[in-house]
Every structure is written in structure tokens, then in C-alpha cells.
Amino acid sequence: MVAAASVVVAVGAAAGLLTALGDAGGGEAAARPQVSLPVRPHALPASPSSSPPPSPSRSASPSPTPRKSTPAPTPRRPATKEEPGTTAAATRLYRHPDSQVADWLRARPGDPRRDVIADRIAGHPAAVWFTDHTPATLTSRVRAVTSAAAAQDRVPVLVPYAIPDRDCGGHSEGGAPDLDAYDAWIDRFAAGLGSGEVIVVLEPDSVAQSACLSAGGRADRFASLARAGRVMKDADPAARVYYDAGHSGWHAPAQQAGWLKQAGAASTDSSDGVFSNVSNFHTTADEVDYDRAVLDALGGPASLGAVIDTSRNGNGAPADGEWCDPGGRRLGRAPTLTTGMGRIDAYLWVKLPGESDGCRGEPGTFTPSYAYDLAR
């Protein structure tokens, strides 16, 4: 990011909603994916990762909210075009059947853009976001996703996004009222994980964007994040939990690693490593270099790895740092658990391509014109 972080906008923040990338509301305990929020830029072409979710029952990923700009880092290498599908989609990753793009396809059988969007976007597995801190139906909503994935012998990607002071009060503001409530919310989230393999992308922007908090507030947040990882791994030993590393255009690896260590990311009791580029556009090559540098600075066992959001980084980040539905972007590598890269555990579509950051459409809602531009 150029001047901002990588904030995620959680769209569809109706009570009890599950966010997994979608644009309209939907079911309750059935745990339909919701809208994902946009990520905003921080230093260089980057942007946060959140934007409020639209309706309660669709899946959507947050959209970005602009952050303060920071000096743009010197690029390690020129952006290179990455064709979608250069990495085969792993059949082991779970594709949630209820999403905004799926709803759009069902409602537009004759749209000339339909085949491209169906093949290049809807056909790939993507993350399911949980952005509403209301705890009543949380366990059943998480269980609905994990049990459906287990029945297919596939691995779901879940994004808990309810940290207090989320997005520092920006577009994706919200979350639990305080850390005690958040800890209780995490307990309920963990209770729905089951016993199968699951990937948890824990609270995008929660570490990279923590500079907006006081030193005491940051320490308290990090303690809750470390606890969250332990609780989830105790509940489901097969769960793989990844912590927020921001992205290659934001903080220096050593600074990010220092915060991550305080948040528990260096301990296998709570962590399997880090994630980066959520809702952002930086090239996979730059993210690989950055994540390895963060892991080296973090220390901890060699088993710690990284997962990268490749959903929209096929052309890299815009030179001008634009984060809100920038033109000229393309889909990145297809989601896979087999990257062939040391310490890089997976390429994931954490933000669903086509869900707006708030410029081409309402934040977090599926915008077919944007989806088509990314996919064609």
C-alpha cells in the first residue's frame, strides 16, 4: 500500500451474519458467506482491507478504507504480470456454494459476461468472512461451513473479523465492543471449527494497522490475538492459524515481525505463520520476498509459513497507490495449497474478485462490471 494499511471492509454487518464474499443478505444459522471489506493502502500502492458488508446472508470480503500515507518503499523488483490459473486450483480447498457471485450467476442466465465470471471467478474457492460480533448464532454458522467442507474432504478458509476498534474507525469500523466480548466471541467461533483441517486468516489489519492504538491498547489487542490462536488450536488441533503481516508496501519486515511476535505469531501454540496482501494488489513475487523476510525476523520454528492473497494481484499494485477498485488490475494465481515455494503454504483468494472496495459499487458488494474487467 502506498499510504495506508490494508484494511478490510466488512460489508453486510447485520446481526448474526457470516461474511464470506457476497453482496446480498441471506441465511442465518446456515452460515452463508458474506461480503468482504476492502483493504486500504498504507505505504506505496496499497490499501486497507475492509469495507462494510451489505446484507446478512451473502458472502463477501471487506473493502479498503484509505489510511494515512507513509513514505513509499523502494520496490524490490518490477511488477510482473501473473496470469490467473498459472497455479492450478487445489481441489482440496473448499468453495462455499452461497456467495454473491453465485447469486448473481443464478439471477443472470443470459448476461454476456456470465461465462467468463463463472469460469474464472465463481469456479474457484474463496474465503468465508465472519464480521458480525453478535455471538448468538456464531458457533452454528461456523459449523455449517466447516461441516460442509469436511463432508467433501476439503479445507475451508475462514476469516474472523470482529476485533474491537476494527479499521481504526474507518470504513470497516465495528467489531466487538471490547476485548472481553471479543474473547468470548472467539470462544464461540472456535467451538464451530470441528476436528478437520481448516485455515484461519485471523483478523486482517489487526496487527499492521495497530499503530492507531495507544501502547497499552496495542498490548491488550496483541494479548487477545495470541489467546485467539491458542483457543482455536486447542479446539481443533488440525486448524492452521495465520497472523496479519500487512503487505509488502506497508511496514518494514522487522517492524511487522516485532508486533507479530507480541501477538503470538512466533509460537506454534497459537500460530502457523503469517498472511499478507489481503484485499490488496502487490505481486506474488514481492509478497513471497516480504513474507520470508518477516518470518526470518520473527524467529520461531521453521514450520511457520505464510499464505498470500492472490485474488487481484495479477498486474501488481497501481503505480499511483490507488486502492479503491483501481482499473487495469487482473486476477492473480488460482487458490492452491501447493505453491512449490519454500515457507509459502498457500495462495488463497481471501477477498473475492469482483466485490467492490466502494468505488465501482457499494463496499463489499459484488459488482459484475468490475469482476468482468478483472477476469477477461
Side-chain angles (χ1 to χ4, degrees), residues 88 114 311 325 368:
R114 189 181 187 284
S311 60
D325 302 334

Side-chain angles (χ1 to χ4, degrees), residues 53-128:
S55 48
S57 56
R58 291 293 180 280
S59 63
S61 35
S63 306
T65 301
R67 303 244 179 298
K68 287 184 181 178
S69 34
T70 59
T74 303
R76 280 182 290 282
R77 68 178 70 181
T80 54
K81 185 172 182 177
E82 300 182 14
E83 291 298 327
T86 52
T87 298
T91 55
R92 288 195 61 234
L93 283 168
Y94 175 67
R95 181 168 63 87
H96 200 293
D98 291 325
S99 66
Q100 291 189 76
V101 64
D103 289 343
W104 182 83
L105 290 171
R106 284 188 286 267
R108 303 288 193 283
D111 193 293
R113 301 165 295 187
R114 189 181 187 284
D115 289 348
V116 169
I117 291 173
D119 179 56
R120 307 201 78 186
I121 294 179
H124 291 296
V128 178

